Amino acid sequence: MDENCIFCKIIKGEIPSNIVYENEYVCAFKDLNPVAPVHILVIPKIHIQDLEHVNKENVEYVAKVQEAFKEVAKIAGVNESGYRVICNCGKDGGQEVKHLHYHLLGGKKLGTKIIND
Ligand code: 5GP
Ligand code: ZN
């Protein structure tokens, strides 16, 4: 855990969030500034900076995140309608919070473009 990381603080319950699902490895909570009717952040419960920092020691947590998407989608009611998962990495990827996280977006038909430039 990184004591200066806001997502680690959310995991520890030190700052409030709207958690929709969690287990031993994964926490999923509503994004503070949603860009779609469903916008949930799914994160591992250990501090991994980004995809560049996934390794043999922490990959189990990342695998558990992959496994959790369908649970989160079901809870959010988008498992049948569909959804998009986005992971920003680093400066050019537009990553603002330096704790690996996946945006689960849905609740409407999303545009076909996956980038804005
Ligand atoms: P990034 O740009 O790093 O991929 O996405 C960071 C996301 O975290 C943004 O969508 C932003 O709205 C969200 N966010 C930032 N701070 C907080 C917070 O304290 N609580 C919650 N729930 N979301 C946050
Ligand atoms: Zn963290």
Side-chain angles (χ1 to χ4, degrees):
M1 289 292 174
D2 178 333
E3 59 187 33
N4 298 314
C5 169
I6 50 169
F7 287 179
C8 284
K9 287 181 181 169
I10 284 175
I11 291 166
K12 288 185 279 186
E14 289 175 5
I15 58 173
S17 69
N18 203 329
I19 293 174
V20 298
Y21 173 82
E22 67 179 318
N23 63 31
E24 188 186 344
Y25 298 91
V26 174
C27 183
F29 51 95
K30 292 186 180 175
D31 195 288
L32 204 56
N33 296 112
V35 298
V38 170
H39 187 170
I40 296 169
L41 299 174
V42 188
I43 69 173
K45 277 190 173 175
I46 48 167
H47 186 80
I48 303 171
Q49 183 178 319
D50 58 28
L51 285 173
E52 287 291 309
H53 291 78
V54 175
N55 57 40
K56 276 204 290 289
E57 278 68 50
N58 60 31
V59 71
E60 186 183 10
Y61 282 80
V62 181
K64 296 290 185 182
V65 169
Q66 301 293 317
E67 211 176 6
F69 289 130
K70 64 182 182 189
E71 307 295 340
V72 176
K74 194 168 184 183
I75 290 163
V78 295
N79 56 310
E80 288 183 2
S81 51
Y83 52 93
R84 181 176 295 164
V85 174
I86 295 174
C87 181
N88 297 324
C89 181
K91 190 160 57 71
D92 280 1
Q95 183 182 8
E96 284 173 9
V97 178
K98 307 291 187 284
H99 180 128
L100 180 64
H101 56 280
Y102 297 79
H103 300 255
L104 189 154
L105 301 161
K108 69 170 186 180
K109 181 95 176 79
L110 299 169
T112 53
K113 290 188 191 301
I114 58 166
I115 61 166
N116 293 311
D117 49 14

